[in-house]
Amino acid sequence: MPSITGRAVQVTDKGGPFAVVQREFPSPGPGQVRIRVQACGVCHSDAVTKFGLFPGIVFPRVPGHEVAGYIDEIAPDVKGFNAGQRVGLGWHGGHCTYCRQCRQGNFVLCENQLISGISYDGGYADYVIAPANALALIPDDLGHVDAAPLMCAGVTTFNSLRNSGARLGDTVAVLGIGGLGHLGVQFAAKGGFNTVAVARGADKGVLAKELGAHHYIDSTTQDVAAELQKLGGADVVLSTVTDAGAMEIAVNGLAPQGRLILLGVPEKPLTLNTMPMILGERAVKGWPSGTGFDSQDTLEFSVLTGVKPRIEEYPLEEASAAFDRMMSGRARFRVVLTTGA
Amino acid sequence: MPSITGRAVQVTDKGGPFAVVQREFPSPGPGQVRIRVQACGVCHSDAVTKFGLFPGIVFPRVPGHEVAGYIDEIAPDVKGFNAGQRVGLGWHGGHCTYCRQCRQGNFVLCENQLISGISYDGGYADYVIAPANALALIPDDLGHVDAAPLMCAGVTTFNSLRNSGARLGDTVAVLGIGGLGHLGVQFAAKGGFNTVAVARGADKGVLAKELGAHHYIDSTTQDVAAELQKLGGADVVLSTVTDAGAMEIAVNGLAPQGRLILLGVPEKPLTLNTMPMILGERAVKGWPSGTGFDSQDTLEFSVLTGVKPRIEEYPLEEASAAFDRMMSGRARFRVVLTTGA
Amino acid sequence: MPSITGRAVQVTDKGGPFAVVQREFPSPGPGQVRIRVQACGVCHSDAVTKFGLFPGIVFPRVPGHEVAGYIDEIAPDVKGFNAGQRVGLGWHGGHCTYCRQCRQGNFVLCENQLISGISYDGGYADYVIAPANALALIPDDLGHVDAAPLMCAGVTTFNSLRNSGARLGDTVAVLGIGGLGHLGVQFAAKGGFNTVAVARGADKGVLAKELGAHHYIDSTTQDVAAELQKLGGADVVLSTVTDAGAMEIAVNGLAPQGRLILLGVPEKPLTLNTMPMILGERAVKGWPSGTGFDSQDTLEFSVLTGVKPRIEEYPLEEASAAFDRMMSGRARFRVVLTTGA
Amino acid sequence: MPSITGRAVQVTDKGGPFAVVQREFPSPGPGQVRIRVQACGVCHSDAVTKFGLFPGIVFPRVPGHEVAGYIDEIAPDVKGFNAGQRVGLGWHGGHCTYCRQCRQGNFVLCENQLISGISYDGGYADYVIAPANALALIPDDLGHVDAAPLMCAGVTTFNSLRNSGARLGDTVAVLGIGGLGHLGVQFAAKGGFNTVAVARGADKGVLAKELGAHHYIDSTTQDVAAELQKLGGADVVLSTVTDAGAMEIAVNGLAPQGRLILLGVPEKPLTLNTMPMILGERAVKGWPSGTGFDSQDTLEFSVLTGVKPRIEEYPLEEASAAFDRMMSGRARFRVVLTTGA
Ligand SMILES: [Zn+2]
Ligand SMILES: [Zn+2]
Ligand SMILES: [Zn+2]
Ligand SMILES: [Zn+2]
Ligand SMILES: [Zn+2]
Ligand SMILES: [Zn+2]
Ligand SMILES: [Zn+2]
Ligand SMILES: [Zn+2]
């Protein structure tokens, strides 16, 4: 099949503006598919592309790692997917299959991992060409716009939670109610956890309860660690914020054997008081995101239990405004680009 | 404090009838409390007492291991509980604290475990005297009648499920929708599992859906293993039935790495086809019940998520009719005695 | 590169004799390598090929799934391996990469799994053509003859043991001291477990101690369950036998929370007394083998700790005699074919 | 039985000198035993007593939480132990049995935990009176002097290792080869781990190999993180040092999914670079020590596998010199007081 023409919103060079361009999208190469994008979430990590925060990014580059759309064309050697299927593509943009981690089945830790929108052009576009081994199937009952944010904000919170060791009824606190946190709260509540939302300001409390939180802590007026301890301590804290200080405080709110799970990179190194960690078998653990299959599980869970992202939609051509809106921290809660395709 | 007079419904001797008697309930001995019973569930395992199915039962014996009531009196050496508190007592009726299992904290596996209503007189009575280390605190928002069945039918299903290794969104099948199963289905649904109820007859399907099941399989007309495999296989099967054949079939409905968890003793030995177990890393595991603390977690989870037993109430004096009703298998779903105290 | 000529020992048709033939071995296809075989273990499961015990085996077929040799030629698309490397090939003969299990990284549970010597021609030959994703690298310090049996008998026992949940110092019993068992005993002893060997006859006791067992139980004269219970019960039993009765007895020798792990298929269905399973949280679990990477870990552990298979060597042309010797159950302990290449 | 007279080495007041005094040791109270001390290890944590580092220490206080001796007298209510038995007493000096953690069986996390030599008088004495629920039985094949250091330095390293999730053959690094580390290295080697010792100076390398280490890294001349990564990264690092910087470096030496386990409190807060933690699912976890039963497991494992502490013996009356020797960091490797009883 021939290449096809479409729009892409690319970052021309490191720190440069977004530019809407027309370009060719060739047929997918071996192991790849071409996706006709319907929706693409705008994630804080798109700043990595915009500002060239990882080494080796080749510009111009199209950001976007919360992609939902149709398989438009599929390489002849790809098995397990078919043209026309609805698929999602997330941060994990493909794995090599042969490194030590891949040979153990830990694809998300692949030593040669590709990242959508960073290693190759992502979802701020009409088409994306991506490795089939990064894809998730989207369930029939889930729309593209809802699926998109679940491909990164969703899978990151869902997958870290389901692998956290938390048992039914345990206390799970979510730090931050933004793009990730507003999904984390829902997942925790639907998963049978005693769910605590922690955020800044009293007004977020109403939202937190709507999202299913059983408790809300306003970190601007309350002592977060003390409030968590009143509830018996948090067995798990999912940190979706970038404020190192907030994470450090949360360690003091952990129950014995509790663990703080870092989903977002703090803006500076964490400084940990280790005494309560040692006396109480507490832990701090990082978590990256998930594979395409993990995302597929996330989508299926969301349909099963009714978890839905709250979004603000922008047309693809307004990607620059959408990105600014996301960066402002005032979006409620996830910004999604739509192609109108 | 002096002893106190009250009613007890005792089995006079092995296989004999229930007799309502007036008797003295002395002050609790060291480590014990006296509970003023408000409600007591009637469990299939009460047949152990009634028919003397365990060795060494001393008759007359008062059955009942789903007890809810007030602490009426407390021995001076007991710490951690206070007179007047609302407490539950389940199958696990106390542990020795010094055997190998107790020293490891595995109280439910205590080598000298006491069983309520079997080792000592249970809850078919106005009062029960029991070790404090077997108690659960009942949350304020949970009534005695609702709490009672959660102390055995509840904790057995809840505790096995939360320790099954199932992760959010996994497929959990519950075999049987009776006293245990109707709670197991609710726990699984509220815990974020893809919940499959399996029972006999199409009419149970409506109930299953009301309880939150996402799928229902009628074992009288459907191939249970094939239906489970259509859903991708069950990651966990909780077996609450006594039909060995039904359990054997369920093994064939397990997903790879799935496990069948036995909560009820089958009426005859299980005969397992091991080939699918070996090729698919499948397992069959037994599960006993839980400690007082496990029960307390069960009660708290039930309040948190709205799980409620469905019950038929009988006054204490009609214990014999209540027991017959339970044994008939037609109760919907749990029979509870109330003292009217 | 052209095809190459060599010997193969093939089963002409179901149940037929072994025939030594000269044949061509073509260049490897996409994703494959051609291995110049140095040694190949003779496993009881080779009877599957010999007697056509699995459906769909295409005859003539060359058995052999404990292969050690050099990569002779490698397809251009294969990454992560190089021609000339020393590699092993086991029972797990390749996975599809795209089924549900592969997408989750559970390659050994691949729905389209290939089995060496069954799905394609195996190691009773001068050359084997196999998928690269099934390979293990052989450490420099390990010879081909020693490596071969570790590719099936080794990885099956090692991998089941390391995934059994046994902790340092736990009691691990190995049922049977044959091809698998004599490795299982060594792995358990070198892994810091209180190691119990169980076999038939007093003479095996000396061997068991040589292999590192701390205890030996002669099942022809001792009550296996009672002897295990005297030791506190087995936390893990690895069953390498085919005698269903021996497995059933072992369940009664489990400690609370102990698990019987089935590595060999019993000659008839298992009949389980479930009461001790339920009261003691005991489990019966199947275990298949391991991936190429699991085998590589097995080889590395063997070098690290000095585990060595005991073998009887036969030249490739005497494969028929070697097979009979293995089937007799009198080999000590593993029969290995060598090509003299 | 009457009280008995003996020596005790007490810290008169916070920061004051050790004083050898004669005093009465009364009969044990409810739940207690009196131990006739044979040996007591000198641990760095004895500085807590010496310098009053925990709040609320009542002086004079006798330090010592690595006690080995005979049960001299036993309270009538104590079950599971007998007078004359050989027992050990460690840092975990008793638990309340009724707090939330105790009710869950997590005794080492008891909210009312007693610490030997801090909450009550410890083992720098001829006798110790201690709760029976803190005791370990000493195996027949283990002498008192060898048993003593295993009660704290031993159980801390053994118990953290066996609960670390490390699997057979994983790479385990031990930071520091002192009182704890020289045992940690032995446990790791005997437990079938690829064992890496990390310490200061080339001379420690010889010792490390004698203790069973497969690899040695000299942190004064080598890049610890880089050397660990050359080995594939550490799956587990047990940190027995107090140098925060050394711990921070070790995080960079972790394999994907690796965890740094803190056994010793660093002299200042840890500052963590979280990016490798997030991208690689790495964790930092604290670990306290273990219960009496955990210590008993430690002693049994040591006998089973031949792990032995290396010690310098001092008579009880020279406790002050022994303490100074330990604090100097030059002891090889553990200082033990003996009573000569
Ligand atoms: Zn993202
Ligand atoms: Zn890779
Ligand atoms: Zn019951
Ligand atoms: Zn006990
Ligand atoms: Zn084999
Ligand atoms: Zn597959
Ligand atoms: Zn210590
Ligand atoms: Zn406590």
Side-chain angles (χ1 to χ4, degrees):
Chain A
M1 230 188 280
S3 68
I4 197 163
T5 305
R7 295 165 298 167
V9 182
Q10 65 191 29
V11 179
T12 310
D13 41 31
K14 185 171 168 166
F18 291 102
V20 183
V21 299
Q22 285 290 122
R23 43 170 280 197
E24 293 297 294
F25 296 89
S27 284
Q32 294 181 331
V33 302
R34 188 172 63 200
I35 303 168
R36 184 155 48 88
V37 178
Q38 302 296 301
C40 182
V42 176
C43 177
H44 196 276
S45 298
D46 293 339
V48 171
T49 306
K50 170 80 170 164
F51 301 110
L53 304 179
F54 281 7
I57 300 179
V58 177
F59 292 93
R61 178 58 80 223
V62 180
H65 58 266
E66 295 192 341
V67 182
Y70 295 93
I71 295 183
D72 177 60
E73 192 182 337
I74 192 164
D77 66 335
V78 170
K79 291 182 183 167
F81 291 96
N82 299 308
Q85 281 182 320
R86 300 170 64 237
V87 293
L89 174 71
W91 172 266
H92 178 78
H95 47 276
C96 76
T97 78
Y98 60 82
C99 74
R100 280 182 71 87
Q101 294 299 326
C102 282
R103 289 177 67 203
Q104 295 176 79
N106 298 329
F107 306 131
V108 88
L109 301 173
C110 172
E111 297 164 11
N112 307 298
Q113 189 189 28
L114 299 176
I115 303 176
S116 314
I118 292 179
S119 311
Y120 57 83
D121 286 339
Y124 288 23
D126 282 321
Y127 296 91
V128 167
I129 295 163
N133 70 23
L135 300 181
L137 287 171
I138 300 177
D140 289 346
D141 296 338
L142 187 68
H144 289 106
V145 172
D146 283 346
L150 295 171
M151 293 303 302
C152 172
V155 67
T156 301
T157 46
F158 176 77
N159 202 32
S160 59
L161 180 59
R162 72 169 173 171
N163 288 301
S164 69
R167 297 189 307 172
L168 288 182
D170 277 2
T171 295
V172 172
V174 179
L175 285 196
I177 318 184
L180 271 76
H182 91 288
L183 291 167
V185 167
Q186 291 182 68
F187 289 132
K190 294 294 187 182
F193 301 107
N194 182 30
T195 304
V196 187
V198 183
R200 299 178 60 80
D203 57 322
K204 291 273 182 79
V206 178
L207 286 160
K209 296 296 174 69
E210 284 176 23
L211 296 166
H214 301 95
H215 306 276
Y216 178 71
I217 301 175
D218 174 1
S219 63
T220 63
T221 59
Q222 294 181 285
D223 177 335
V224 174
E227 292 300 316
L228 287 173
Q229 292 299 350
K230 277 186 209 165
L231 297 169
D235 297 296
V236 168
V237 174
L238 298 184
S239 172
T240 73
V241 299
T242 57
D243 176 358
M247 300 180 202
E248 291 159 16
I249 288 168
V251 172
N252 297 322
L254 291 173
Q257 299 181 317
R259 47 265 176 222
L260 168 65
I261 301 180
L262 307 176
L263 304 181
V265 182
E267 90 287 359
K268 59 174 185 176
L270 273 196
T271 301
L272 294 176
N273 177 11
T274 56
M275 185 68 89
M277 294 178 66
I278 293 173
L279 295 182
E281 286 182 33
R282 295 175 175 93
V284 176
K285 183 174 183 177
W287 191 267
S289 57
T291 64
F293 199 85
D294 292 323
S295 291
Q296 189 168 318
D297 283 344
T298 306
L299 302 180
E300 290 176 0
F301 182 84
S302 299
V303 170
L304 184 77
T305 63
V307 169
K308 273 183 91 102
R310 296 194 179 188
I311 57 172
E312 299 179 5
E313 266 185 71
Y314 283 74
L316 176 63
E317 312 240 342
E318 294 176 26
S320 186
F323 180 82
D324 291 346
R325 174 70 176 164
M326 176 276 299
M327 290 297 278
S328 76
R330 288 197 305 273
R332 284 207 170 144
F333 290 95
R334 200 68 174 173
V335 176
V336 176
L337 302 174
T338 52
T339 58
Chain B
M1 231 192 278
S3 69
I4 197 163
T5 305
R7 297 165 297 168
V9 182
Q10 64 190 28
V11 179
T12 310
D13 41 32
K14 183 171 169 164
F18 290 102
V20 183
V21 299
Q22 286 289 121
R23 43 168 281 196
E24 293 296 294
F25 296 89
S27 285
Q32 294 180 332
V33 302
R34 188 171 64 200
I35 302 167
R36 183 155 48 88
V37 178
Q38 302 296 300
C40 182
V42 177
C43 177
H44 196 275
S45 298
D46 293 340
V48 171
T49 307
K50 170 79 169 165
F51 301 110
L53 303 180
F54 281 7
I57 300 179
V58 177
F59 291 93
R61 177 59 77 226
V62 180
H65 58 266
E66 294 191 343
V67 182
Y70 295 94
I71 296 183
D72 178 59
E73 193 183 337
I74 193 164
D77 66 336
V78 170
K79 290 182 182 166
F81 291 96
N82 299 308
Q85 282 182 318
R86 300 171 63 235
V87 293
L89 174 71
W91 172 265
H92 178 77
H95 46 276
C96 76
T97 78
Y98 60 82
C99 74
R100 280 183 70 87
Q101 293 299 326
C102 282
R103 289 177 68 203
Q104 293 176 79
N106 298 329
F107 306 132
V108 87
L109 301 173
C110 173
E111 297 163 13
N112 307 299
Q113 189 190 27
L114 299 176
I115 303 175
S116 314
I118 292 179
S119 311
Y120 57 82
D121 286 339
Y124 288 24
D126 282 320
Y127 295 92
V128 167
I129 295 163
N133 70 23
L135 299 182
L137 287 172
I138 301 177
D140 289 347
D141 296 337
L142 187 68
H144 289 107
V145 171
D146 283 345
L150 294 171
M151 294 302 304
C152 173
V155 67
T156 301
T157 46
F158 176 77
N159 202 33
S160 59
L161 179 58
R162 73 168 171 170
N163 288 300
S164 69
R167 297 189 308 170
L168 288 182
D170 278 1
T171 297
V172 172
V174 179
L175 285 195
I177 317 184
L180 271 75
H182 92 288
L183 290 167
V185 168
Q186 291 182 70
F187 289 131
K190 294 292 188 184
F193 301 108
N194 182 28
T195 304
V196 187
V198 183
R200 299 178 60 80
D203 57 323
K204 291 274 182 77
V206 178
L207 286 160
K209 296 295 173 71
E210 284 175 24
L211 296 167
H214 302 95
H215 307 276
Y216 178 72
I217 303 173
D218 174 0
S219 63
T220 63
T221 60
Q222 292 179 287
D223 178 335
V224 174
E227 293 299 317
L228 286 174
Q229 292 299 351
K230 276 185 209 166
L231 296 169
D235 297 295
V236 168
V237 174
L238 299 183
S239 171
T240 73
V241 299
T242 58
D243 176 358
M247 300 181 203
E248 291 159 16
I249 288 167
V251 172
N252 296 323
L254 291 173
Q257 299 182 315
R259 46 268 177 219
L260 169 66
I261 301 180
L262 307 175
L263 303 181
V265 182
E267 90 287 0
K268 59 174 184 177
L270 275 195
T271 301
L272 294 177
N273 177 12
T274 56
M275 186 67 91
M277 294 178 67
I278 293 173
L279 294 182
E281 286 182 31
R282 294 175 177 92
V284 176
K285 183 173 184 178
W287 192 267
S289 58
T291 63
F293 198 86
D294 292 323
S295 291
Q296 189 168 317
D297 283 343
T298 306
L299 302 180
E300 289 176 1
F301 182 83
S302 300
V303 170
L304 184 77
T305 62
V307 169
K308 274 182 90 102
R310 298 195 178 188
I311 56 172
E312 300 180 5
E313 266 185 68
Y314 283 74
L316 176 62
E317 312 239 343
E318 293 176 27
S320 185
F323 181 82
D324 291 347
R325 175 69 177 165
M326 176 277 299
M327 290 296 278
S328 76
R330 289 198 305 272
R332 282 202 172 149
F333 289 91
R334 200 67 174 175
V335 176
V336 176
L337 302 174
T338 53
T339 58
Chain C
M1 230 189 281
S3 70
I4 198 163
T5 304
R7 296 165 298 168
V9 182
Q10 64 190 30
V11 179
T12 310
D13 42 31
K14 184 171 170 166
F18 290 102
V20 183
V21 299
Q22 285 290 120
R23 41 168 281 197
E24 293 297 294
F25 295 89
S27 285
Q32 295 181 330
V33 302
R34 188 171 65 200
I35 302 167
R36 183 155 48 87
V37 179
Q38 301 296 300
C40 182
V42 177
C43 177
H44 196 276
S45 298
D46 293 339
V48 171
T49 306
K50 170 79 169 164
F51 301 111
L53 304 180
F54 280 6
I57 299 179
V58 176
F59 292 94
R61 177 59 79 224
V62 180
H65 58 266
E66 294 190 343
V67 182
Y70 294 94
I71 296 184
D72 177 59
E73 192 182 337
I74 192 163
D77 67 334
V78 170
K79 291 182 182 167
F81 291 97
N82 299 310
Q85 283 182 317
R86 300 170 64 236
V87 293
L89 175 70
W91 173 266
H92 178 78
H95 46 276
C96 76
T97 77
Y98 60 81
C99 74
R100 280 181 70 86
Q101 293 300 326
C102 283
R103 289 176 67 202
Q104 293 175 81
N106 299 329
F107 306 131
V108 87
L109 302 174
C110 172
E111 296 163 13
N112 307 300
Q113 189 190 27
L114 299 176
I115 304 176
S116 315
I118 292 180
S119 310
Y120 57 82
D121 286 339
Y124 288 24
D126 282 321
Y127 295 91
V128 167
I129 295 163
N133 70 22
L135 300 181
L137 287 172
I138 301 177
D140 289 346
D141 296 337
L142 187 67
H144 288 107
V145 171
D146 283 346
L150 295 171
M151 293 303 302
C152 173
V155 67
T156 302
T157 47
F158 177 76
N159 202 33
S160 59
L161 179 58
R162 72 169 172 169
N163 288 300
S164 69
R167 297 189 307 171
L168 287 181
D170 277 1
T171 297
V172 172
V174 179
L175 284 195
I177 317 185
L180 271 74
H182 91 289
L183 290 167
V185 167
Q186 291 182 70
F187 288 130
K190 294 293 188 184
F193 300 107
N194 182 29
T195 304
V196 187
V198 183
R200 299 179 60 80
D203 57 323
K204 291 274 183 77
V206 178
L207 286 161
K209 295 296 173 72
E210 284 176 23
L211 295 167
H214 302 95
H215 307 276
Y216 178 71
I217 302 174
D218 174 0
S219 64
T220 63
T221 60
Q222 292 180 285
D223 178 334
V224 173
E227 293 299 318
L228 286 173
Q229 292 299 351
K230 278 186 208 165
L231 297 169
D235 297 296
V236 168
V237 174
L238 298 184
S239 172
T240 73
V241 299
T242 58
D243 176 358
M247 299 181 202
E248 290 159 16
I249 288 167
V251 172
N252 296 322
L254 291 173
Q257 298 181 317
R259 46 265 176 223
L260 169 66
I261 300 180
L262 307 175
L263 303 181
V265 182
E267 90 287 359
K268 60 175 184 177
L270 274 196
T271 301
L272 294 176
N273 177 11
T274 56
M275 186 68 88
M277 295 177 66
I278 293 173
L279 294 181
E281 285 181 33
R282 294 175 176 93
V284 176
K285 184 173 183 177
W287 190 268
S289 57
T291 64
F293 198 86
D294 292 324
S295 291
Q296 189 168 318
D297 284 342
T298 306
L299 301 180
E300 289 177 0
F301 182 84
S302 300
V303 170
L304 184 77
T305 62
V307 169
K308 274 182 91 101
R310 297 194 177 188
I311 57 171
E312 300 179 4
E313 265 185 71
Y314 283 74
L316 175 63
E317 311 239 344
E318 292 176 29
S320 186
F323 181 82
D324 291 347
R325 175 68 176 165
M326 176 277 300
M327 290 297 278
S328 75
R330 288 197 305 274
R332 283 202 171 150
F333 289 93
R334 200 66 173 175
V335 176
V336 177
L337 302 174
T338 52
T339 57
Chain D
M1 230 190 279
S3 68
I4 198 163
T5 304
R7 296 165 299 168
V9 182
Q10 64 191 27
V11 179
T12 310
D13 41 31
K14 183 170 168 166
F18 290 102
V20 183
V21 299
Q22 286 290 120
R23 42 168 282 196
E24 293 296 294
F25 296 89
S27 286
Q32 295 180 331
V33 302
R34 188 171 64 201
I35 302 168
R36 184 155 46 88
V37 178
Q38 302 296 301
C40 182
V42 176
C43 178
H44 196 275
S45 298
D46 293 341
V48 171
T49 307
K50 170 79 168 164
F51 300 110
L53 304 180
F54 281 6
I57 300 179
V58 177
F59 292 93
R61 178 58 79 224
V62 179
H65 58 265
E66 295 191 343
V67 182
Y70 294 94
I71 295 183
D72 178 60
E73 192 182 337
I74 193 164
D77 67 333
V78 170
K79 291 182 181 166
F81 291 96
N82 300 309
Q85 282 182 319
R86 299 171 64 236
V87 293
L89 174 70
W91 173 265
H92 178 77
H95 47 275
C96 77
T97 78
Y98 60 82
C99 74
R100 279 183 71 87
Q101 294 298 326
C102 283
R103 289 177 68 202
Q104 294 176 80
N106 298 330
F107 306 131
V108 87
L109 301 174
C110 172
E111 297 163 13
N112 307 298
Q113 190 190 25
L114 299 176
I115 303 175
S116 314
I118 292 179
S119 310
Y120 57 83
D121 286 340
Y124 288 24
D126 283 320
Y127 295 91
V128 166
I129 295 164
N133 71 24
L135 300 181
L137 287 172
I138 300 177
D140 289 346
D141 296 337
L142 187 67
H144 288 107
V145 171
D146 282 346
L150 295 171
M151 294 303 302
C152 173
V155 67
T156 301
T157 47
F158 176 76
N159 202 32
S160 60
L161 180 58
R162 72 168 171 172
N163 287 301
S164 69
R167 297 189 307 171
L168 287 182
D170 277 1
T171 296
V172 172
V174 180
L175 284 196
I177 317 184
L180 271 75
H182 91 290
L183 291 167
V185 168
Q186 292 182 67
F187 289 131
K190 294 293 188 183
F193 300 107
N194 182 29
T195 304
V196 187
V198 183
R200 299 178 60 80
D203 57 322
K204 291 273 182 78
V206 178
L207 287 161
K209 295 296 172 69
E210 284 176 24
L211 295 167
H214 301 95
H215 306 277
Y216 178 71
I217 302 174
D218 174 359
S219 63
T220 63
T221 60
Q222 293 180 285
D223 177 335
V224 174
E227 293 298 317
L228 287 173
Q229 291 299 351
K230 278 186 207 163
L231 298 169
D235 297 296
V236 168
V237 174
L238 298 184
S239 172
T240 73
V241 298
T242 57
D243 176 358
M247 300 181 202
E248 291 160 15
I249 289 167
V251 172
N252 295 323
L254 291 173
Q257 298 182 318
R259 45 267 176 221
L260 168 65
I261 301 180
L262 307 175
L263 304 181
V265 182
E267 89 289 0
K268 58 175 185 176
L270 275 194
T271 300
L272 294 176
N273 176 11
T274 55
M275 186 67 90
M277 295 178 66
I278 293 174
L279 294 181
E281 285 181 34
R282 295 175 176 92
V284 176
K285 184 174 182 177
W287 191 269
S289 57
T291 63
F293 198 85
D294 292 323
S295 291
Q296 188 168 318
D297 284 343
T298 306
L299 302 180
E300 290 176 0
F301 182 84
S302 299
V303 170
L304 184 77
T305 62
V307 170
K308 273 182 91 103
R310 297 194 179 187
I311 58 173
E312 300 179 4
E313 265 185 73
Y314 284 74
L316 175 62
E317 311 239 344
E318 294 177 26
S320 186
F323 181 82
D324 291 345
R325 174 71 176 163
M326 176 276 299
M327 290 297 278
S328 76
R330 289 197 304 271
R332 285 214 169 137
F333 288 94
R334 200 67 174 173
V335 176
V336 176
L337 303 174
T338 54
T339 58

